[in-house]
Amino acid sequence: MSTDPDVSTAFSANRTAALPLHPPPTPPAPPHPEFQRSRHVSYWKRCLKTFLPAPYTPMDSTRLMLSFFVLSPLDLLGELVNVTTPAERANYANWIYACQLPSGGFRASPSMSLGARREEDKNGMWDPAHVPATYFALASLCILKDDFKRVKRKECLRWLKKMQRDDGSFGQTLGADGAIEGGRDMRFGYCVMCSRWILRAGKGEKDLVGVEDIDIDGLVRCIRASETYDGGISDEPFHEAHAGFTYCAIAALSIAGRLPDSSNDTSTTTKQLLTAPSNVPLTLHWLASRQTTSVFEEEPLITKPWDFPSANRTESELGLDHNEPDVPPAAGFNGRANKVSDTCYAFWVGASMSLLEQCAGAGGGGRGLADSQRARTYLVDKSQHLVGGFGKVAGDPPDVYHSSLGLAALAMLGERNAATGEGSGDGGEGLKTLDPGFCMSVEARGWAEGVDWDMEESEESKADEYAYMRISGG
Amino acid sequence: MPLYETDPAWADVTPIELDDGGPSPLVAIAYSDDYAEAMSYLRAVMAADEMSERALALTEDLIQMNPAHYTVWLYRARILTAISADLSAELTWLNSIALRHLKNYQIWHHRQTLVDRLGSADGEQAFLRSMLDQDAKNYHVWSYRQWLVRRFALWADDSGELASIEELLNEDVLNNSAWNHRWFLVFGREGQEEGYKVLDETVERELAFAKAAVRKEPQNQSPWNYIRGLLRQTKRPLAEMKDFASEFAALDRPDEVRSSHALDLLADIFADEESNAGQAKVALAMLATKFDPIRASYWQYRKSLLPSKEAPAA
């Protein structure tokens, strides 16, 4: 054994032995599936309060993302305030603020911090502010109902502006010689739009004077250039259509108010803004095509529904509850054509459809264009795990990312099923209403609108800061 | 066992320990002591912006444990330049890392930097083939492959690209990534090479290829999407495909329907035709009730967009 005095490693050795978070594979869920609410609460409580196991090491560089994916489900379950004390929540906020950089934005993880040896001009590129982490930090602060007094609003907005390239795309970090590093993909544009919205949603304008905004037309052009021949959206022109990038593009457009509006009133005097996607029916077609009864890798990817005897309903029978044994009752979503269902795409595809249906006037009376009943069955019967959480594909052990997005998808579907009297009958699985564009509860997103940026820093938050400085020896 | 603390080569470096931001860190990870120590030394050499052989070796050690550490790759690339390292050797090392970590973005960005500097695509197609043997739909590999084609102008028919795609589609006609790359090879060249235009005969060749693929597996959405894309791109009417689609679905012979995608296409063709909305509705109803019931809501929505049956009173 190491005698290394480093506190974190001492803890890790200790905790690994005591708390195996990921159990060995267990049998599949029981035949009549229900949303196992209390097991999900236990799963998330463990993720919040104990060490994540060593296989999470490759996520050590993106802990702010991980922390959002742990806090948000507890918020959706309405349990965050029950499983934590106000003091703990204040400390979580302090932990997030410790990742904020003086020049704006947040680093992606404490493990990147160069501490007292950090000098912006000399080595700042090795400990940079990170675009997705900044969104996850701000969103987590909304969930924690922080007062935002310590957020470097003006600096952050100026830095976000610097992260945009001439072609309209955004990068991930600023590297050596001011180079914009990271791919050109939609994830970064999406995170910028979310961060910008949160920073501009509250009351108080005085520190926004002279802050140059990002080029939204540029972002829209960049998204249009990445539309694919089959109607999806990819990360760069000509790459394969992918539901994750499609979601990021559609959600960014939605937040920017740049989705085409079906009820476009031509009599209004507002000038025509550039919108995307350029062909909404085609994109809806691509999104609708993502739902699939292909659930297990070893099964054939192509199914022929007409071979099932029960697939012979009349139109008047559609939408009724069918329990014929031959029609697969579960249908999840894939992220690309001819792939199997994967839990996270229930959110990426479902949320994209929900946002695009609104602008296409295709709400379907609350039902939506996907088969939300089969989608729920996929999540609850196929990918929900006995210990709580969701696996990536049916039969997998749960992980933080898929468990979080699975729950977000269920919150979305639960509402839809409740609206039409289908599903579990408990009115949306007892989950808070989800905002599909921000991937967090409507309540948490709304917190940003109540922030008063002009208000002086409260004594309480100053006290939090002092408490942290004492602990960290600052 | 501490590796760096006891190593004389590292005696002059004061590691930067992790500061986990207070008494209640979120999502702390139970990583190994080796990882914690290597990270402490990485932070120290990064703080000094040290460009050295030992820093390069340290990045390798860390990448083995955490290949998703994004700045360590950028740092490594900068060191390689600073010490004029052998980039071919770096590429060989990278191959083994890529084959072990299939779902990693940074590896492919690094490869792009290296191959760009080396200025040669030699061996790349063979290596990509070995990657695709493990996962024929690996998004990073296909993205990198597009970059490679652009960077080294591998557009021509003798570049091996098109032949390789045909081979992959022969093995698995459902591989949508291969279909997408095929589209890129045909249409991505425009705008890259001055004066290049896609020839009509190339479009015909592509239509024929996609039709043959449909005959092989009529329920495969990839070639149907490809056909629709070809027509849209060249501004030709969908109606050109009416006879072809009818081979796989006819409204009056529901027992012989072999493809929901053919019905979907026919619905669009009928909807475009004057006074044929009725037939479009029949096709959409067939999809909703029997041929694609999990998309029933979607097909019904499509139906709701069609003009209602009753003609307005004169």
Side-chain angles (χ1 to χ4, degrees), chain B residues 219-238:
Chain B
Q219 191 51 14
N220 177 9
Q221 60 191 298
S222 294
W224 287 105
N225 286 338
Y226 199 80
I227 288 170
R228 281 170 175 265
L230 286 168
L231 294 177
R232 198 180 314 105
Q233 180 80 12
T234 53
K235 300 188 170 51
R236 288 160 62 169
L238 285 177

Side-chain angles (χ1 to χ4, degrees), chain A residues 9 52 60-61 63 95 108 111 117 123 126 183 229 238-240 285 288 291 312-313 315 336 338 362, chain B residues 14 20 26 28 30 35-36 43 47 49 66 70 137 139 146 174 176-177 180 220 232 264 289-290 295 303:
Chain A
T9 52
L52 294 168
D60 182 42
S61 324
R63 279 175 62 197
W95 179 84
S111 74
R117 279 184 245 173
N123 54 28
W126 306 131
Y229 65 89
F238 289 102
H239 287 186
E240 187 183 4
H285 183 270
Q291 193 161 17
N312 283 293
R313 320 201 295 259
E315 272 190 280
R336 291 184 270 158
N338 291 331
Chain B
T14 310
D20 213 350
L26 283 161
Y35 176 76
R43 286 186 285 263
D49 196 23
N66 177 8
Y70 51 93
K137 300 172 182 176
Y139 204 81
Q146 286 199 8
L174 303 183
N176 195 64
S177 304
N180 186 76
N220 177 9
R232 198 180 314 105
D264 178 8
T289 53
K290 180 169 181 176
R295 266 167 282 282
K303 216 174 134 192

Side-chain angles (χ1 to χ4, degrees), chain A residues 2-21:
Chain A
S2 161
T3 50
D4 191 326
D6 180 358
V7 175
S8 70
T9 52
F11 263 94
S12 64
N14 206 353
R15 298 284 194 108
T16 324
L19 293 157
L21 195 70

